[in-house]
Amino acid sequence: MKPPSGDRARWRMITAGIGLLLVGALTVINRVELSHLSAQNRSHTQDTQDTQVQVLATHIADLARQIEQYRKRPEAVPLKRYDAESQTVEQRLTSIEQTLNERPVAKVLQPLQNRLAQLERRLTHAMRAATRPNPNPNPSPAPAKAVEPSFRVVSTELRGHERFLTILPARANSLSQARLL
């Protein structure tokens, strides 16, 4: 049996409505996802741009320092001037070397070396004489016996910025004989 034509149209309408609802729901879902992605992309783009700006600022600061160093460096010497001055210095060095080679250094220093050797011999002889034992030593007097005091120091104290000394007679038997000075 065939369904009546009204039912068919109705089913088509229901099917088309359900399809439209599905397409609409998918559209809404995609739109929401796109807005989330767009927000994330904007924040990611902002972070990336901030990082790039910081890198560029650092690079610009480095370039500024290099330019400042370049400006401060001394002016270059022209090649002709350099050649002339280096030739002058070479001539001076050559003349100094010739002068040093012509001087009779050994002849001038020989008397001084002889004098130094004489002084060293005298010093060695004097040191040997000083270290020899004296053949006739004088007897030295016996050391005097130290006199012992008639008291003993027990302690020292500081009271009100004044120093005090506590003494005890040498033959004392008790602390009651101690004296405070």
Side-chain angles (χ1 to χ4, degrees):
M1 252 182 141
K2 266 185 159 184
S5 64
D7 281 342
R8 243 185 208 188
R10 193 171 172 200
W11 280 107
R12 282 186 192 162
M13 293 290 271
I14 291 174
T15 306
I18 290 174
L20 283 174
L21 280 174
L22 283 174
V23 168
L26 287 174
T27 302
V28 168
I29 291 171
N30 282 339
R31 180 76 177 156
V32 169
E33 285 182 13
L34 280 175
S35 67
H36 285 296
L37 284 175
S38 175
Q40 287 177 351
N41 191 21
R42 272 186 255 137
S43 68
H44 179 68
T45 302
Q46 185 65 32
D47 292 344
T48 304
Q49 287 175 350
D50 289 344
T51 305
Q52 288 175 348
V53 166
Q54 289 175 351
V55 168
L56 287 174
T58 304
H59 190 62
I60 288 172
D62 289 341
L63 289 174
R65 278 192 295 270
Q66 288 176 0
I67 289 171
E68 189 61 31
Q69 288 176 351
Y70 180 76
R71 287 181 183 161
K72 288 182 179 179
R73 75 176 186 184
E75 192 173 312
V77 176
L79 186 59
K80 290 180 182 179
R81 181 176 161 198
Y82 173 77
D83 288 339
E85 288 180 3
S86 66
Q87 187 176 13
T88 305
V89 169
E90 283 291 328
Q91 288 173 352
R92 285 182 185 170
L93 285 175
T94 304
S95 68
I96 290 172
E97 287 174 353
Q98 287 175 351
T99 304
L100 286 175
N101 289 335
E102 293 171 359
R103 291 181 72 188
V105 176
K107 293 178 183 177
V108 171
L109 291 180
Q110 191 61 40
L112 292 174
Q113 288 177 340
N114 292 339
R115 176 83 174 144
L116 183 62
Q118 277 181 341
L119 290 173
E120 286 176 347
R121 281 192 298 265
R122 285 183 189 170
L123 179 65
T124 306
H125 187 64
M127 288 179 69
R128 284 185 192 156
T131 57
R132 278 191 223 146
N134 197 354
N136 203 2
N138 292 336
S140 59
K145 189 173 182 181
V147 177
E148 290 195 25
S150 62
F151 61 90
R152 290 183 301 188
V153 175
V154 176
S155 69
T156 59
E157 300 176 25
L158 184 63
R159 294 183 185 177
H161 300 293
E162 292 210 25
R163 293 196 176 269
F164 287 89
L165 180 69
T166 305
I167 60 170
L168 193 63
R171 296 184 185 140
N173 293 338
S174 69
L175 286 177
S176 63
Q177 294 173 337
R179 299 287 178 244
L180 185 65
L181 304 174

